Each structure stands twice: as structure tokens, then as C-alpha cells.
Amino acid sequence: MKKTILFSLMLVLALGLFSCSCEEIEKLTTSEETTSQGSLKHDESYANYGVEFDDNGLHYKIINPNSVLLVQHDSLRSINGDLVIPSTVTYNEEKYYVVCIDDAAFRGCEGLTSITIPNSVNSIGSYAFWDCDGLTSVTIPNSVTSIGNWAFLGCTGLTSVS
């Protein structure tokens, strides 16, 4: 069963059926995108564009004035056990939706055993969970429309993907 799940996941990623749009989201300056939060306009002129901040051991980068962030693992801290990514975070009294897990965001988090991704997320970056060999369970919502290449490479303990 474990090998079947892992093989299926690797096959989908290898065939390139999904591609991460984290970099594309970050590079956009005035284009529009539709997400579960509605139409979002990317605008580098937004005062908080590019601001980075930490919240509960995770590192975020504001990429949009309309509540859009990138999520990155704070490399100075090790994440152990189960992780539930929040759908929203607050910075300077403004609420932002977490919409993307960045490339290699959780690379090498060997102590991470399960991860639950919120419905606000629409993209998982390449190598996002690379070498998380303690990871046994991942819950990916229907809102995720792209998964980057080799997002789960080296996750040898992965037995459940829902």
C-alpha cells in the first residue's frame, strides 16, 4: 500500500501534471488571479509587498495587498510532530490568506510526521517537503491546483495522502 501511494504520487509529479506557481505569484506585479478568496490583484506598489515576518515558527512573505502570502519554514527551528498550516495569519493588524507553500519550504524537516494544508492554499512548490522522511500523512485540499516537481521527494515514510 505504501509503495503504491508513493509510486502514484511520484508518477503524477514526474509526468508534470502539476506545476508550482509560487514563483509566478511572487513575480507578478499587476496581474489578476482567482482563488477561493475571490479575485486577487498582485501589486508591487502595495506598501507591505515583500515584507517578511514570522508567526508560530513559520516564515511568511507578503506578496499581495489582498491577503496573499508565501509560507516558508523558519530554518532556525525544527518542526516536529503534526503541523496544521493556518489559513490566515495577521501582520500589523492586517489579515492575510496563506495561498502558497514555497519551494523547499519544509526541506529536511525529518521530525515532521503529518501536515494538514488549509483550503486557502492553491499551490505547493517544488521540493516543498523534500527529505521529510518522518512524514507519514499529508492532507491536501481540493483548492490545491498545482504541485511542483518532486514536492515529496525522499518522503520514504509517507503512507497516507488524502
Side-chain angles (χ1 to χ4, degrees), residues 7 11 57 62 72 110 117 122:
F7 177 76
L11 181 61
I62 299 172
Q72 296 177 320
E110 296 175 1
I117 300 169
N122 60 35

PDB file of all heavy atoms in Angstrom, residues 7 11 57 62 72 110 117 122:
ATOM      1  N   PHE A   7       4.400   5.560  -5.278  1.00  0.00           N
ATOM      2  CA  PHE A   7       4.582   5.451  -6.717  1.00  0.00           C
ATOM      3  C   PHE A   7       3.589   6.331  -7.466  1.00  0.00           C
ATOM      4  O   PHE A   7       3.952   7.034  -8.404  1.00  0.00           O
ATOM      5  CB  PHE A   7       4.444   3.994  -7.179  1.00  0.00           C
ATOM      6  CG  PHE A   7       4.556   3.848  -8.666  1.00  0.00           C
ATOM      7  CD1 PHE A   7       5.788   3.917  -9.290  1.00  0.00           C
ATOM      8  CD2 PHE A   7       3.424   3.664  -9.437  1.00  0.00           C
ATOM      9  CE1 PHE A   7       5.895   3.802 -10.663  1.00  0.00           C
ATOM     10  CE2 PHE A   7       3.514   3.546 -10.814  1.00  0.00           C
ATOM     11  CZ  PHE A   7       4.761   3.612 -11.434  1.00  0.00           C
ATOM     12  N   LEU A  11       4.593   9.394  -9.824  1.00  0.00           N
ATOM     13  CA  LEU A  11       4.217   9.334 -11.229  1.00  0.00           C
ATOM     14  C   LEU A  11       3.521  10.616 -11.662  1.00  0.00           C
ATOM     15  O   LEU A  11       3.844  11.201 -12.693  1.00  0.00           O
ATOM     16  CB  LEU A  11       3.309   8.127 -11.494  1.00  0.00           C
ATOM     17  CG  LEU A  11       2.860   7.934 -12.941  1.00  0.00           C
ATOM     18  CD1 LEU A  11       4.061   7.721 -13.842  1.00  0.00           C
ATOM     19  CD2 LEU A  11       1.912   6.766 -13.035  1.00  0.00           C
ATOM     20  N   GLY A  57       6.627  29.944  14.402  1.00  0.00           N
ATOM     21  CA  GLY A  57       7.676  29.112  13.833  1.00  0.00           C
ATOM     22  C   GLY A  57       7.670  29.010  12.319  1.00  0.00           C
ATOM     23  O   GLY A  57       8.474  28.281  11.744  1.00  0.00           O
ATOM     24  N   ILE A  62       4.752  38.600   2.343  1.00  0.00           N
ATOM     25  CA  ILE A  62       3.557  39.202   1.768  1.00  0.00           C
ATOM     26  C   ILE A  62       3.795  39.430   0.280  1.00  0.00           C
ATOM     27  O   ILE A  62       4.789  40.036  -0.110  1.00  0.00           O
ATOM     28  CB  ILE A  62       3.212  40.523   2.476  1.00  0.00           C
ATOM     29  CG1 ILE A  62       2.937  40.261   3.958  1.00  0.00           C
ATOM     30  CG2 ILE A  62       2.036  41.213   1.794  1.00  0.00           C
ATOM     31  CD1 ILE A  62       2.772  41.496   4.802  1.00  0.00           C
ATOM     32  N   GLN A  72       7.084  29.787   4.322  1.00  0.00           N
ATOM     33  CA  GLN A  72       8.397  29.162   4.326  1.00  0.00           C
ATOM     34  C   GLN A  72       8.709  28.680   5.742  1.00  0.00           C
ATOM     35  O   GLN A  72       8.342  29.328   6.704  1.00  0.00           O
ATOM     36  CB  GLN A  72       9.480  30.148   3.897  1.00  0.00           C
ATOM     37  CG  GLN A  72       9.323  30.613   2.469  1.00  0.00           C
ATOM     38  CD  GLN A  72      10.373  31.648   2.116  1.00  0.00           C
ATOM     39  OE1 GLN A  72      10.699  32.511   2.904  1.00  0.00           O
ATOM     40  NE2 GLN A  72      10.882  31.547   0.916  1.00  0.00           N
ATOM     41  N   GLU A 110      12.872  16.346   9.199  1.00  0.00           N
ATOM     42  CA  GLU A 110      12.756  14.911   9.456  1.00  0.00           C
ATOM     43  C   GLU A 110      11.794  14.583  10.589  1.00  0.00           C
ATOM     44  O   GLU A 110      11.241  13.488  10.642  1.00  0.00           O
ATOM     45  CB  GLU A 110      14.135  14.324   9.748  1.00  0.00           C
ATOM     46  CG  GLU A 110      15.064  14.416   8.561  1.00  0.00           C
ATOM     47  CD  GLU A 110      16.474  13.958   8.875  1.00  0.00           C
ATOM     48  OE1 GLU A 110      16.735  13.552  10.030  1.00  0.00           O
ATOM     49  OE2 GLU A 110      17.307  14.015   7.963  1.00  0.00           O
ATOM     50  N   ILE A 117      -2.918  20.879   5.142  1.00  0.00           N
ATOM     51  CA  ILE A 117      -2.859  22.112   4.360  1.00  0.00           C
ATOM     52  C   ILE A 117      -4.261  22.696   4.286  1.00  0.00           C
ATOM     53  O   ILE A 117      -5.206  21.980   3.962  1.00  0.00           O
ATOM     54  CB  ILE A 117      -2.290  21.799   2.962  1.00  0.00           C
ATOM     55  CG1 ILE A 117      -0.874  21.209   3.106  1.00  0.00           C
ATOM     56  CG2 ILE A 117      -2.285  23.045   2.079  1.00  0.00           C
ATOM     57  CD1 ILE A 117      -0.309  20.625   1.838  1.00  0.00           C
ATOM     58  N   ASN A 122      -3.391  27.176  -2.742  1.00  0.00           N
ATOM     59  CA  ASN A 122      -3.660  26.709  -4.102  1.00  0.00           C
ATOM     60  C   ASN A 122      -2.426  26.158  -4.797  1.00  0.00           C
ATOM     61  O   ASN A 122      -2.515  25.640  -5.898  1.00  0.00           O
ATOM     62  CB  ASN A 122      -4.317  27.815  -4.950  1.00  0.00           C
ATOM     63  CG  ASN A 122      -3.462  29.047  -5.067  1.00  0.00           C
ATOM     64  OD1 ASN A 122      -2.242  28.975  -5.129  1.00  0.00           O
ATOM     65  ND2 ASN A 122      -4.101  30.194  -5.086  1.00  0.00           N
TER      66      ASN A 122
END
